[in-house]
């Protein structure tokens, strides 16, 4: 029987997850399909049973990543620590919650250990990033609203900083978790050329925004000669890790990257 998977969230008009997962299923000849199921804020409760009965697993995105936790029979360590689930496995009528964003980010950054990481932002994505990386690295957090940076720093054992240009001086990795620079606001960057100029030569700059592939932040970093990692890297890895949980497969990251890049370049 065909196995059904989905992404739940709202809105999902621009989600690349159906294209990405269906491309993998087709390539590996898996009898599976993946669709987008829009669930508006506040409607999750009445849809959980439907999901349980009709799907073998699903991804969870904004605005349900936190609320879905309440319905899990079991959750993995990353999901517990972060307080958010992005992948659910349905097994024997039970929901098991995982967070594949965390390991995907660690993998995209090359599993950093002992690095100084400056995180831009203090929202949901920053929270996942800070928890995912804080065990083995030292985290600094910059946010437009300083109090939120302080709050997150306290929770993750990091420190809040007031100026990117100062904090970046001895950092190894700069990670943007804000939506600044995301389509259609492609002319914006969460850090300026002046801020980035203060960093060491071997700084790595990573953006979790993947549309556009080369954000203004990454363009500035590239111009200054820093290594860059685009948001596509984390996006494809969280999808690959979800498929491992659902089907035990380890799809080819290169194929997944090409699929996403081809689609984004069409736009
Ligand atoms: P998500 O769950 O995607 O992280 P969020 O919780 O709304 O979304 O958080 C968005 C993050 O992007 C926040 O850190 C936000 O800063 P504030 O806490 O000051 O709101 C940041 N952000 C969004 N738009 C921004 C902008 N134009 N300039 C700077 N930071 C911005």
């Amino acid at each position: 029987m065909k196995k059904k998977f989905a992404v739940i969230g709202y809105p999902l008009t621009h989600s690349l997850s159906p294209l990405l997962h269906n491309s993998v299923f087709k390539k590996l000849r898996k009898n599976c399909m993946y669709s987008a199921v829009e669930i508006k804020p506040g409607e999750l409760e009445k849809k959980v049973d439907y999901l349980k009965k009709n799907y073998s697993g699903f991804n969870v995105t904004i605005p349900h990543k936190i609320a879905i936790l309440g319905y899990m029979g079991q959750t993995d360590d990353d999901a517990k620590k972060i307080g958010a689930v992005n992948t659910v496995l349905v097994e024997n009528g039970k929901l098991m919650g995982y967070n594949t964003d965390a390991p995907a980010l660690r993998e995209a950054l090359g599993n950093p250990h002992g690095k100084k990481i400056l995180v831009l932002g203090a929202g949901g994505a920053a929270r996942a990033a800070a928890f995912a990386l804080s065990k083995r690295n030292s985290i600094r957090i910059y946010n437009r609203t300083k109090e939120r940076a302080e709050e997150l720093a306290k929770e993750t054992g990091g420190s809040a900083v007031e100026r990117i240009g100062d904090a970046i001086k001895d950092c190894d990795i700069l990670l943007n978790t804000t939506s600044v620079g995301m389509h259609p606001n492609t002319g914006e960057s969460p850090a300026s050329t002046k801020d980035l100029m203060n960093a060491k030569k071997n700084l790595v700059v990573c953006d979790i925004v993947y549309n556009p592939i080369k954000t203004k932040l990454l363009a500035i970093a590239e111009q200054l000669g820093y290594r860059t990692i685009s948001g596509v890297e984390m996006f494809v890895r969280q999808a690959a890790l979800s498929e491992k949980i659902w089907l035990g497969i380890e799809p080819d990251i290169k194929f997944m990257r090409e699929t996403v890049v081809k689609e984004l370049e069409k736009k």
Side-chain angles (χ1 to χ4, degrees):
M1 210 172 67
K2 205 175 206 111
K3 282 191 170 176
K4 283 165 68 182
F5 299 93
V7 54
I8 65 161
Y10 188 84
L12 291 175
T13 2
H14 299 293
S15 175
L16 291 180
S17 292
L19 168 89
L20 178 57
H21 287 283
N22 285 323
S23 300
V24 173
F25 295 156
K26 193 170 164 200
K27 187 163 196 279
L28 298 180
R29 299 179 185 207
K30 292 279 165 196
N31 189 19
C32 300
M33 66 168 281
Y34 189 106
S35 53
V37 177
E38 286 199 325
I39 299 179
K40 290 194 177 142
E43 292 188 352
L44 187 60
E45 166 113 50
K46 58 179 189 213
K47 290 284 169 66
V48 169
D49 260 351
Y50 160 81
L51 291 165
K52 215 189 261 183
K53 285 194 186 109
N54 291 282
Y55 293 88
S56 303
F58 51 94
N59 285 127
V60 186
T61 188
I62 292 165
H64 303 306
K65 280 189 187 191
I66 299 169
I68 198 79
L69 254 177
Y71 302 95
M72 297 299 116
Q74 216 178 300
T75 41
D76 77 347
D77 285 349
D78 277 319
K80 266 195 213 112
K81 229 168 26 185
I82 296 164
V85 161
N86 80 319
T87 301
V88 177
L89 171 69
V90 183
E91 212 170 53
N92 305 323
K94 280 222 175 79
L95 300 181
M96 320 236 263
Y98 299 82
N99 191 305
T100 67
D101 286 335
L105 178 62
R106 288 192 288 262
E107 270 181 33
L109 293 175
N111 292 313
H113 197 159
K115 303 286 185 198
K116 290 197 174 76
I117 304 178
L118 176 56
V119 175
L120 305 181
R127 191 181 163 78
F131 274 106
L133 298 165
S134 62
K135 197 170 161 195
R136 291 170 173 258
N137 303 279
S138 108
I139 306 292
R140 284 155 195 194
I141 303 165
Y142 170 84
N143 192 47
R144 177 178 60 181
T145 313
K146 195 179 138 200
E147 293 72 28
R148 291 185 83 193
E150 284 168 353
E151 189 57 41
L152 184 59
K154 209 163 44 175
E155 274 190 82
T156 55
S159 55
V161 301
E162 291 198 27
R163 269 179 298 272
I164 299 173
D166 290 338
I168 207 171
K169 283 181 184 154
D170 64 347
C171 277
D172 305 295
I173 298 171
L174 174 68
L175 173 67
N176 175 46
T177 71
T178 75
S179 50
V180 180
M182 191 189 288
H183 180 82
N185 303 315
T186 53
E188 294 172 11
S189 169
S192 67
T193 304
K194 211 170 143 215
D195 290 332
L196 265 71
M197 269 166 54
N198 284 349
K200 296 186 292 190
K201 272 201 181 74
N202 60 352
L203 178 78
V204 175
V205 180
C206 178
D207 209 326
I208 67 163
V209 171
Y210 62 79
N211 187 9
I213 303 167
K214 194 192 283 183
T215 56
K216 178 88 185 282
L217 174 68
L218 295 187
I220 294 173
E222 208 178 87
Q223 255 169 15
L224 293 172
Y226 301 126
R227 188 159 87 78
T228 60
I229 299 171
S230 90
V232 172
E233 297 306 317
M234 180 179 164
F235 179 62
V236 297
R237 284 176 171 81
Q238 62 75 30
L241 291 166
S242 294
E243 293 195 5
K244 190 170 179 194
I245 289 166
W246 295 329
L247 299 164
I249 57 176
E250 293 190 39
D252 181 16
I253 295 291
K254 188 164 168 271
F255 169 76
M256 295 177 92
R257 181 188 299 121
E258 281 165 7
T259 305
V260 171
V261 168
K262 206 157 81 187
E263 184 64 19
L264 287 170
E265 281 176 347
K266 259 195 228 164
K267 291 188 174 168

